[in-house]
């Protein structure tokens, strides 16, 4: 959440667009609309309103998106993306979902500062209500 464990690297939405076409579109659709293929289901990734879906806009922290891309994508080629590629794909998805601007660079400093639409819904498991 705070970015202290994020690796050094950087990426922009423009760089991520090229990577998305190469590494993600086959499963998630050319426009991130999601697909159902013989290999499985690629969920919706780009849907700015995302009502009724559990998409990117429902995440509490942008660092979660980066971490998942870096550790688990592309499917069957996990951890094959460089840190810069993971930042670029994260930037692209955040931009296409209306969360950041087209000219914003994502890195270990800027990514934790991204205000996700659902961030205020997060509560630490250590918090108590009274």
């Amino acid at each position: 959440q705070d970015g202290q464990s994020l690796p050094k690297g950087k990426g922009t939405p423009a760089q991520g667009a090229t990577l998305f076409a190469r590494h993600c579109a086959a499963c998630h659709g050319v426009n991130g609309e999601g697909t159902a293929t013989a290999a499985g289901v690629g969920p919706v990734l780009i849907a700015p309103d995302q009502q009724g879906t559990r998409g990117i806009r429902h995440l509490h922290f942008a660092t979660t998106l980066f971490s998942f891309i870096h550790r688990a994508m592309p499917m069957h080629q996990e951890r094959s993306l460089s840190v810069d590629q993971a930042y670029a794909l994260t930037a692209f998805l955040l931009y296409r979902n209306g969360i950041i601007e087209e000219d914003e660079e994502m890195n270990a400093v800027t990514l934790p500062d991204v205000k996700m639409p659902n961030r205020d819904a997060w509560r630490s498991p250590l918090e108590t209500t009274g």
Side-chain angles (χ1 to χ4, degrees):
Q1 300 164 23
D2 62 9
Q4 290 189 13
S5 63
L6 290 171
K8 292 183 191 284
K10 62 184 178 178
T12 65
Q15 293 164 331
T18 302
L19 293 165
F20 186 88
R22 186 178 321 136
H23 297 285
C24 312
C27 291
H28 294 284
V30 173
N31 296 306
E33 69 276 13
T35 62
T37 66
V41 175
V44 173
L45 293 179
I46 301 171
D49 60 358
Q50 288 190 357
Q51 291 180 321
T53 67
R54 297 293 301 167
I56 289 169
R57 294 178 61 82
H58 289 278
L59 294 173
H60 294 73
F61 302 101
T63 53
T64 303
L65 177 60
F66 170 83
S67 179
F68 187 78
I69 290 169
H70 190 236
R71 287 182 299 102
M73 291 289 120
M75 185 178 241
H76 305 300
Q77 296 175 349
E78 295 84 355
R79 296 192 179 265
S80 64
L81 298 171
S82 71
V83 170
D84 287 343
Q85 289 174 319
Y87 276 120
L89 283 166
T90 301
F92 172 72
L93 293 172
L94 292 171
Y95 164 66
R96 287 295 308 273
N97 280 280
I99 299 168
I100 68 168
E101 298 297 321
E102 185 174 16
D103 62 348
E104 289 187 65
E105 178 184 276
M106 291 295 104
N107 57 52
V109 174
T110 59
L111 187 64
D113 289 337
V114 171
K115 175 84 166 134
M116 296 298 285
N118 200 35
R119 187 176 200 166
D120 291 338
W122 184 81
R123 297 288 179 256
S124 168
L126 302 177
E127 289 180 17
T128 59
T129 57

